[in-house]
Amino acid sequence: MIAQNNESMTSAAESIFLSNQDYNIRKVIRERQEHERYIERIKAERDEALAENATKQAKLDAALKTITELQAQLKESQEQNKKD
């Protein structure tokens, strides 16, 4: 190998290797950070959807309660009309 017998070439080769290692490490760190941001965004979207669903469920429950009350009133009214 050319760099094997030449100290300056060996030093340059080591510097390039370390530089590439630093680049690869930075790349992995960047990718990890991007993935973590993606996961956080997905979690936030999930939490928002869950909150929206809870709000909709509360509205549905209230509507069901109203329907049940109106059905009871209707039944009572029909029973009153039969007696009259």
Side-chain angles (χ1 to χ4, degrees):
M1 190 180 256
I2 296 173
Q4 214 168 15
N5 298 327
N6 186 330
E7 189 176 317
S8 63
M9 289 295 279
T10 302
S11 177
E14 286 177 11
S15 293
I16 291 171
F17 175 78
L18 292 175
S19 176
N20 285 340
Q21 286 295 86
D22 288 346
Y23 172 79
N24 290 337
I25 290 169
R26 285 192 306 273
K27 181 180 175 192
V28 168
I29 290 170
R30 260 193 319 275
E31 289 171 353
R32 169 86 179 185
Q33 290 171 336
E34 287 174 14
H35 179 72
E36 288 173 352
R37 282 192 297 272
Y38 170 76
I39 294 298
E40 288 304 313
R41 190 177 77 245
I42 294 298
K43 285 180 181 179
E45 289 173 3
R46 179 204 59 202
D47 292 345
E48 184 179 326
L50 288 173
E52 186 178 321
N53 285 345
T55 300
K56 288 179 180 180
Q57 186 63 50
K59 288 179 182 179
L60 286 172
D61 291 343
L64 180 60
K65 182 180 177 190
T66 301
I67 290 170
T68 303
E69 290 170 354
L70 290 173
Q71 286 175 332
Q73 288 175 6
L74 179 61
K75 184 177 180 181
E76 185 180 312
S77 175
Q78 288 173 340
E79 289 173 0
Q80 282 289 30
N81 286 340
K82 285 182 184 178
K83 289 181 183 177
D84 292 341

